Amino acid sequence: MDRTLTPAAVESRLTTRWLGRPLQVEAQVDSTNSRLHELARRGAAAGLVLVADSQTSGRGRQQRQWHSPPGTNLYFSVLLRPDWPVGATPPLSLAAGVALAEAMGPLLPAPPVLKWPNDLLFQGRKLAGILVEAQTDRQAVRHAIVGIGVNVNQDSFPEELAERAGSLRTVSGQTHDRAEVLARLLGALESWIERLQTRPAEVLETWQRYAPWLGRPIVVTMGQNTLAGTALGLAPDGTLRMRDAGGREQTILSGDVEQAAY
Ligand code: BTN
């Protein structure tokens, strides 16, 4: 494993109060999200962060795979135990998106773009993705896991990703210390997760500032269906508001935004 990604290297740079305390680093897991669900079910405390140097079955949104080679990127998951009623879960993935944008912005030649619901792009290339999963019972969210994959130093991608993916290194021309990047990300995540509980409107406002495609034409793909229209903005629950070609306002709960000018 790359010597830069050790608990000691991350902890020596960590400024958080509770996030990443403790922090566990593994050489290889199937998926940090799956592994953290197991640890949560066995009673692990909120704040635990599980990082892996590589994943054999990294998972993305919509049952996609997350390409997770060793020695080059960040794959990590964060355990939260929020006391949120089911159906009123604030948009955790948006808070994570803002945290990524703020933490990675200074490492990039210009501000990144957030694509709804949870991709971080730079000049149209995806640098990072977020997968939030919650375990609920009838009344409440038992635990929530925020899984994040960041392309840090990868300099070439498999053919199917080559047109759409990038890394901090491909866009900045510099190699980055993964422990340093992770510590920055965890600091920003802690701060935005806390703000989501106290000032959720600020999360939405800040997220929208990283979305220059709002107000422009988009096409949203939802399974077999597509909807063309104009992106209007985020609703308080984090869903996407758009105006369709017939002038009606639509709310998108889940889907992929395509053909936006990033
Ligand atoms: C997406 O953009 O589709 C979300 C990608 C999320 C990938 C991360 S890598 C760490 C964590 N563990 C997983 O299996 N997935 C997330």
Side-chain angles (χ1 to χ4, degrees), residues 8 22 45 51 72 82 103 116 125 156 159 162 175-176 179 211 227 254-255 259:
V51 191
T72 186
W116 188 86
R125 289 182 181 272
S156 65
E159 205 182 323
T175 301
H176 292 268
L227 183 65
S254 101
Q259 290 185 10

Side-chain angles (χ1 to χ4, degrees), residues 29-34 50 52 55 57-68 74-77 118-120 126 128-133 145-150 256:
V29 297
D30 50 356
S31 148
T32 56
N33 268 34
S34 304
L50 177 65
Q55 301 182 113
S57 307
R59 295 188 281 114
R61 287 178 57 243
Q62 322 262 23
Q63 269 81 53
R64 294 184 192 120
Q65 249 191 349
W66 186 258
H67 176 64
S68 310
L74 285 170
Y75 320 108
F76 65 99
S77 301
N118 50 15
D119 292 348
L120 183 118
K126 180 160 167 171
I130 301 161
L131 179 66
V132 175
E133 297 175 318
I145 286 174
V146 183
I148 298 182
V150 183
D256 285 310

